[in-house]
Amino acid sequence: QGTEHVSRINIKFTRFSAFYTPLLATAAGGFLKDEGLEPHLAICEEGKSAIDALLDGSAHVGQSAPAQGLGSLEKGEAPKAVHFAQINERDGFFLTGRAPEPDFSWAGLAGKKVIVTHGPQPLAMFKYACKSQGLDYGAIDAIDAGKGPAMDALFRSGEGDYIHQQGAAPQQLAADGVGHVVASVGQAFGPCAFSSLAATREWLETDMALAFMRAYRKTRAWINEAPAAEIAAAEKEWFPKIDKAVLADCIGFYQTLGCWAPHVEITRAAFDVTLDVFRNVGRDHPSSVYDAIVAPPPGE
């Protein structure tokens, strides 16, 4: 107990989101500190990815997605960083409409204006959800409004029948009386390898990696057991524009969704679903790419 030497651990995110609570809470819940690690959490600089930060040494751990490795393989490159643990085992996006729809059906989106997140993975997952629910994506009037803040502003201005966003933006819309959350993409088709922790293979061999992994396992147990309001209070500093009650509402939903399953490894079964998601949009890869993209958690 009480190590004398404290090591700084740098963790990079594409953005801070309640969806990434398993990683945020390693710091917020004090679990890294308990292992003698001083956490420094930051969002990647414009034009730079978490993988770039791992490769130039400015980050030890990056919030990423196994699908990132597919991009490397498509360029004919072996992935230089690997994905060693899951953050989320389901899609964390929601559909928000203009009115409450207790009997919401995906088929009802046909002919409607939907402001859709057009990032490669969220869009591929949304198309897969439509397919799994028997809806032709082409039947939707899909609007590309750019990045999250622009999408949110457009919906708030009255444009669109529905909007597709990651939490807690939909819950904030609902709290502000602008919309009603009607569906979860993660509920539409179940487990998949969605978001992950990435690192270099070299770092995974270090004592720091072992200490991080001990903290991460404890964190995942805590976020599944603690009240959502307690987790929201611990994480609030990263969400200055989101009401604490809204953050707790979103965290509570993710707790019940099953995206934060207690196991940490990225399973082949979940990875194969993600491969199927991308096959659906014309990016075909064999199941064997798992070994090039995914590594076991440190110490295993």
Side-chain angles (χ1 to χ4, degrees):
Q1 212 54 39
T3 54
E4 289 164 31
H5 178 65
V6 175
S7 302
R8 173 180 169 128
I9 183 166
N10 297 315
I11 302 173
K12 285 287 176 83
F13 291 74
T14 48
R15 63 195 180 94
F16 294 140
S17 161
F19 192 50
Y20 305 137
T21 285
L23 185 51
L24 286 170
T26 58
F31 298 101
L32 289 171
K33 214 167 182 184
D34 289 348
E35 292 291 343
L37 298 174
E38 183 61 52
H40 288 259
L41 279 52
I43 292 171
C44 295
E45 297 82 16
E46 190 69 37
K48 194 171 168 180
S49 72
I51 301 297
D52 294 332
L54 296 174
L55 299 180
D56 71 17
S58 59
H60 299 102
V61 176
Q63 168 258 312
S64 186
Q68 173 277 329
L70 299 178
S72 297
L73 294 173
E74 284 161 4
K75 291 180 200 157
E77 301 166 0
K80 294 187 180 78
V82 286
H83 302 265
F84 66 92
Q86 55 149 328
I87 300 177
N88 290 288
E89 206 175 40
R90 285 185 189 233
D91 184 298
F93 283 72
F94 299 84
L95 271 174
T96 306
R98 297 287 176 189
E101 290 182 65
D103 300 320
F104 173 83
S105 150
W106 284 74
L109 295 176
K112 297 290 199 299
K113 286 186 175 178
V114 186
I115 302 170
V116 179
T117 299
H118 274 65
Q121 175 158 294
L123 182 58
M125 294 274 173
F126 184 74
K127 288 179 175 179
Y128 193 76
C130 290
K131 182 184 176 185
S132 70
Q133 293 294 316
L135 170 68
D136 174 15
Y137 177 78
I140 297 171
D141 183 0
I143 298 166
D144 181 358
K147 293 194 174 174
M151 291 172 58
D152 199 74
L154 187 65
F155 190 74
R156 286 174 183 272
S157 76
E159 184 64 37
D161 300 305
Y162 297 90
I163 184 168
H164 166 237
Q165 297 167 296
Q166 199 178 80
Q171 289 78 12
Q172 190 67 56
L173 286 176
D176 294 343
V178 180
H180 299 266
V181 180
V182 296
S184 149
V185 180
Q187 285 178 328
F189 64 88
C192 64
F194 193 88
S195 53
S196 60
L197 298 175
T200 62
R201 288 189 188 273
E202 293 74 27
W203 182 81
L204 291 175
E205 299 296 323
T206 65
D207 287 344
M208 182 190 274
L210 290 172
F212 172 85
M213 207 63 220
R214 287 192 296 271
Y216 190 61
R217 287 182 184 283
K218 288 171 190 162
T219 304
R220 286 192 81 93
W222 180 65
I223 61 169
N224 277 294
E225 292 159 13
E230 185 183 320
I231 300 168
E235 287 182 2
K236 184 67 180 83
E237 65 179 281
W238 289 294
F239 303 101
K241 294 181 180 172
I242 294 175
D243 301 341
K244 198 187 281 184
V246 168
L247 190 58
D249 179 33
C250 179
I251 288 170
F253 181 84
Y254 284 141
Q255 284 178 316
T256 61
L257 179 61
C259 53
W260 301 336
H263 68 268
V264 295
E265 68 273 15
I266 299 163
T267 68
R268 281 186 183 268
F271 185 82
D272 283 345
V273 174
T274 297
L275 289 181
D276 211 32
V277 166
F278 285 100
R279 279 187 200 112
N280 185 51
V281 292
R283 295 173 65 183
D284 200 0
H285 292 272
S287 189
S288 58
V289 299
Y290 177 89
D291 293 316
I293 294 172
V294 178
E300 290 180 19

